[in-house]
Amino acid sequence: MQLPGGRPSLLVHPVGGASSRIAFALDFHDVDAAREVARAVAPSVGMLKVGLELFTAAGSRGVDLGRELGLPVFLDLKLHDIPETVDRAVARVAALGARYVTVHASGGPAMLRRATARARNEGTGLEVVAVTVLTSMDAAELARTGVSATPLDHVRRLASLAFEEGVRAFVCSPREVATLRGDLGAGVTLITPGIRPSSHDDDQKRVATATQAIKDGADWLVVGRPIRDAADPAEAASALAREVLTALSMGA
């Protein structure tokens, strides 16, 4: 299956599995609880995201869940420090066996350049992902940090900077996916948090449905609470995988 722009579909299984577009966010403080839910949803998701909560609680054991279940791990640490420190941290992430690791694009060109070079030189397949603007932020909150640009304009500026330094994977909200796909082309990987059912209400502001995100060019859909907090997480994950499959079959 091909997507617009000649991008191949990553979803080839009937519903989910290892080729699913869904990255399930393991937002747990206990690795055993994370394991239980991850096992339940594994047939419908294609990647596990380990964020700060689980990583600070369980360290590498959180990443090990990916190996247990045969799924790649997206280690969402949002590294933002001097270039030397980030360089060394990326080397440690590569040793853990993660597939992706996030850094803040706002860390600057030297940091981005060192991070991507380190990931490449480690030779493990680790890819650096640049986080643009957090989905919890809107124009008013950006302005309070001294950024007068709109979220879209700031995302584009940061993504362009990271791309120039060798980054080829990006986190952006669903609202910016279509624009970044147009700016950066088919060769980049776009990872989108903020995927929600239309009735869901929480602290993320720039959100969209899975169908819309796929239509706009997202490669990975990061989903946490709508699956984790569902009465039946396995069914919630399966329903979302079916929605993605429908969107792809309609040429989204």
Side-chain angles (χ1 to χ4, degrees):
M1 182 183 300
Q2 292 286 321
L3 299 179
R7 292 183 298 122
S9 168
L10 300 179
L11 184 59
V12 296
H13 291 185
V15 175
S19 295
S20 169
R21 295 288 188 90
I22 300 168
F24 176 51
L26 296 175
D27 295 331
F28 299 88
H29 67 268
D30 178 81
V31 71
D32 293 326
R35 179 183 291 106
E36 180 179 357
V37 179
R39 283 176 174 167
V41 306
S44 298
V45 307
M47 184 158 60
L48 300 176
K49 183 177 88 73
V50 175
L52 288 174
E53 182 181 16
L54 184 58
F55 193 74
T56 55
S60 62
R61 290 183 295 156
V63 181
D64 289 343
L65 292 178
R67 278 191 288 274
E68 290 180 25
L69 297 172
L71 292 170
V73 171
F74 172 28
L75 191 51
D76 188 18
L77 299 182
K78 297 183 178 70
L79 301 173
H80 189 165
D81 212 314
I82 64 172
E84 175 68 14
T85 298
V86 171
D87 181 311
R88 295 169 68 88
V90 168
R92 297 308 310 146
V93 171
L96 293 177
R99 176 66 183 85
Y100 294 104
V101 63
T102 51
V103 303
H104 273 290
S106 56
M111 189 201 79
L112 294 165
R113 185 166 56 251
R114 289 278 296 271
T116 55
R118 172 59 69 179
R120 183 174 58 251
N121 292 340
E122 289 298 309
T124 65
L126 175 67
E127 188 165 358
V128 169
V129 182
V131 176
T132 53
V133 176
L134 298 175
T135 53
S136 60
M137 300 190 75
D138 57 16
E141 292 198 348
L142 273 181
R144 293 190 66 185
T145 69
V147 176
S148 60
T150 66
L152 176 60
D153 287 343
H154 198 46
V155 165
R156 295 180 76 184
R157 180 182 299 123
L158 290 172
S160 177
L161 167 66
F163 188 87
E164 290 175 1
E165 300 304 333
V167 176
R168 292 297 181 267
F170 302 84
V171 173
C172 64
S173 91
R175 303 288 182 87
E176 293 94 39
V177 168
T179 298
L180 283 195
R181 182 61 69 195
D183 287 351
L184 304 177
V188 301
T189 298
L190 299 182
I191 301 172
T192 61
I195 303 300
R196 297 289 185 264
S198 60
S199 61
H200 201 88
D201 182 25
D202 61 32
D203 60 355
Q204 298 200 62
K205 295 172 178 159
R206 298 181 349 269
V207 300
T209 65
T211 296
Q212 188 63 50
I214 290 293
K215 179 179 178 181
D216 288 343
D219 293 301
W220 286 101
L221 311 181
V222 178
V223 185
R225 282 170 278 186
I227 293 176
R228 182 197 67 187
D229 297 343
D232 185 342
E235 174 53 33
S238 179
L240 190 59
R242 291 193 297 271
E243 180 181 347
V244 171
L245 179 63
T246 299
L248 290 168
S249 68
M250 295 174 63

